[in-house]
């Protein structure tokens, strides 16, 4: 699956509906994401997706870069073998998991 399809799938399956009342949330296009990775020295999303998938025993299905207030965060979607979709938020500068939201 290429990156464009993965981003579309992530948007469709959950992040668009998630509310962030305390934080302003703005997500970036694929081109904007590439520019920010280069200009700000952010982690590559594929590396973080692969690590999250391995750790959670799931298949990475999408990622996108978003700004939450002043923080840049990758929102990563994973599909477990039991059909559950997991949503992991990873700080784009440090690579550390900063949150998760899982569908039951």
């Amino acid at each position: 699956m290429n990156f464009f399809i993965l981003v579309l799938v992530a948007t469709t399956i959950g992040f668009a509906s998630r509310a962030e009342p305390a934080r302003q949330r703005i997500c970036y296009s694929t081109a904007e994401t590439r520019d920010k990775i280069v200009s700000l020295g952010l982690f590559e999303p594929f590396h973080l997706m692969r690590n999250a998938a391995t750790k959670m025993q799931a298949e990475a299905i999408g990622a996108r870069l978003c700004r939450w207030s002043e923080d840049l965060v990758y929102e990563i979607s994973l599909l477990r073998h039991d059909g559950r979709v997991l949503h992991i938020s990873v700080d784009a500068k440090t690579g550390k998991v900063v949150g998760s939201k899982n569908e039951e």
Side-chain angles (χ1 to χ4, degrees), residues 9-55:
V9 170
T11 301
T12 303
I13 61 174
F15 287 121
S17 65
R18 190 168 102 194
E20 288 291 335
R23 296 179 166 184
Q24 175 83 17
R25 183 171 156 265
I26 300 168
C27 296
Y28 298 103
S29 70
T30 303
E32 291 170 322
T33 297
R34 278 193 295 261
D35 290 343
K36 290 195 180 301
I37 289 169
V38 172
S39 66
L40 300 174
L42 303 178
F43 272 85
E44 290 286 336
F46 292 110
H47 174 72
L48 298 175
M49 287 172 61
R50 186 175 48 241
N51 287 348
T54 300
K55 183 176 180 179

Side-chain angles (χ1 to χ4, degrees), residues 62-76:
R64 67 181 180 170
L65 180 65
C66 297
R67 177 175 294 281
W68 292 358
S69 297
E70 298 303 316
D71 301 322
L72 289 170
V73 176
Y74 286 113
E75 296 178 342
I76 298 174

Side-chain angles (χ1 to χ4, degrees), residues 92-104:
K93 293 179 183 177
T94 66
K96 294 182 180 181
V97 174
V98 294
S100 67
K101 178 183 178 198
N102 302 326
E103 294 185 9
E104 297 300 325

